[in-house]
Amino acid sequence: MPHSCPVWLGPGSGLDRAWIGHGYGWAVAAEPTPGWTDWSSWSSDVLPGYQQTTCPVGTDPDGEGELFATLVRPGGAGPSPGVVLAVHGFTDYFFHTELADFFAAHGYRFYGLDLHKCGRSWRTGQTPHFTTDLERYDRELESALQIIGTENPGCRALVYGHSTGGLVVSLWLDRMRRRGRPTGAPELAGLVLNSPFLDLNGPAILRTRATSTAIGATSKLHRTRVVRAAGNGGYGLTLHRDYHGEFDYNLQWKPLGGFPVTAGWIHAVRRGQARLHRGLDVGVPNLVLRSDHSVAETAGIEVMSRGDAVLDVNHIARWAGCVGNRQTIVPVPDAKHDVFLSSQGPRATAYRELGRWLANLDGLSEPHPDVL
């Protein structure tokens, strides 16, 4: 059963790291969902030296045509006993080769998944990132695990999720723990969450039941109605190398001001967050990395470059305990929303904490002496 939550580990707690634990266990492996399609052959990706393969996911229940997901990997890497499946956030896709290189240097073959309607998987006529149910991602996530297991026999897998991707994979792992891994999927060894989207940022009224009810009613009538327009830059200006950042990526797939937020999408997110707030059990040890403080999205570039300009880190601290299982929570001083896209100092700290956790991962699988 999931442990009680929330667990408050926010500013002033005196705790830079926390251990939270309870029981383990996975259901017996399940058969693949009927109708799943194996991934096709690999071809060159938009990233030099990388390969991609595309999987049809089926017809969109939200009426935006056929859906596809795209799995990306570095070319030339062979089977590995350790692998990682990385899932991006909203207004995001896989482009961060530095992160892939870090995992590879620590013995983990890297795979990045662009979810349907995101990045490489977006198709003309579709609303970017739009879904009315986060559970619909389960199909492509588990299909990706199956192909990873086929390519790396006997491997153990980490799952990595950033922002909305962190919410998506936490909910998915809790469901999969209960119903069982699909046949051919590797054993899961751990979960890494990078600033997961665990609650809605903004005034407290946005998190009330009345607001959630109003969003739900709007989403039934006008699913793609924009409830928050795209911005003019903000956080994105601190990332891209053509502005004030260090990184190069496709601004059509990850625009500076983000994609518009729709009623149907935010309703799906709020339902997922409500489920997480009741307590999950992802079934594996997990690391939660976040900034040590939030900053306003309207602040200047220098301020936005040294804090989370997207989420309230107090919400992450409050609800992280609801992810479940053995947990390490690390606030990274002066980190951005994506801690691995931070300025060099905070970024190095985030990588150091990730490397330390990876080195201790086997030990985290054993009962902690402070947990009865």
Side-chain angles (χ1 to χ4, degrees), residues 2-7 167 171 197-200 207 212 269-280 315-316 318-323:
H3 56 72
S4 61
C5 62
V7 176
L167 175 64
L171 294 165
F197 188 13
L198 306 185
D199 209 347
L200 192 60
R207 295 180 293 278
S212 294
V269 166
R270 292 303 286 158
R271 295 201 314 274
Q273 290 171 340
R275 173 66 189 91
L276 180 139
H277 294 172
R278 295 193 294 271
L280 306 179
H315 294 160
I316 302 174
R318 179 183 183 187
W319 296 112
C322 290
V323 172

Side-chain angles (χ1 to χ4, degrees), residues 203-224:
I205 192 172
L206 296 179
R207 295 180 293 278
T208 64
R209 179 169 298 189
T211 299
S212 294
T213 300
I215 291 172
T218 301
S219 70
K220 289 181 179 179
L221 298 173
H222 307 284
R223 293 180 296 184
T224 57

Side-chain angles (χ1 to χ4, degrees), residues 54-253:
T54 300
C55 179
V57 180
T59 302
D60 183 15
D62 292 320
E64 293 192 338
E66 296 301 309
L67 300 178
F68 301 86
T70 311
L71 192 63
V72 182
R73 70 180 186 189
S80 172
V83 298
V84 58
L85 174 62
V87 180
H88 57 82
F90 184 73
T91 307
D92 204 1
Y93 73 101
F94 171 66
F95 66 91
H96 197 4
T97 58
E98 181 184 88
L99 180 65
D101 291 343
F102 180 89
F103 275 111
H106 286 73
Y108 289 87
R109 190 179 184 186
F110 186 90
Y111 294 82
L113 182 65
D114 281 11
L115 300 170
H116 64 258
K117 300 187 187 179
C118 305
R120 300 165 180 83
S121 304
W122 176 84
R123 297 294 183 268
T124 301
Q126 294 178 345
T127 305
H129 293 256
F130 179 70
T131 185
T132 56
D133 189 348
L134 300 184
E135 190 170 350
R136 291 185 187 138
Y137 295 124
D138 288 14
R139 181 175 183 177
E140 59 218 69
L141 288 163
E142 293 180 23
S143 189
L145 270 189
Q146 287 177 302
I147 197 62
I148 289 170
T150 299
E151 291 196 343
N152 303 272
C155 69
R156 301 180 72 207
L158 300 178
V159 175
Y160 167 97
H162 168 56
S163 198
T164 304
L167 175 64
V168 167
V169 297
S170 297
L171 294 165
W172 164 55
L173 290 180
D174 177 71
R175 288 188 292 266
M176 190 167 63
R177 179 192 56 80
R178 289 182 276 113
R179 67 174 174 249
R181 298 191 310 274
T183 300
E187 176 186 357
L188 297 181
L191 170 66
V192 178
L193 298 177
N194 172 2
S195 300
F197 188 13
L198 306 185
D199 209 347
L200 192 60
N201 195 10
I205 192 172
L206 296 179
R207 295 180 293 278
T208 64
R209 179 169 298 189
T211 299
S212 294
T213 300
I215 291 172
T218 301
S219 70
K220 289 181 179 179
L221 298 173
H222 307 284
R223 293 180 296 184
T224 57
R225 173 177 288 178
V226 173
V227 295
R228 178 178 177 178
N232 295 320
Y235 168 60
L237 293 172
T238 73
L239 302 180
H240 199 278
R241 70 179 186 183
D242 289 348
Y243 296 88
H244 302 278
E246 302 176 47
F247 301 94
D248 186 27
Y249 51 84
N250 187 327
L251 290 173
Q252 291 185 317
W253 292 347

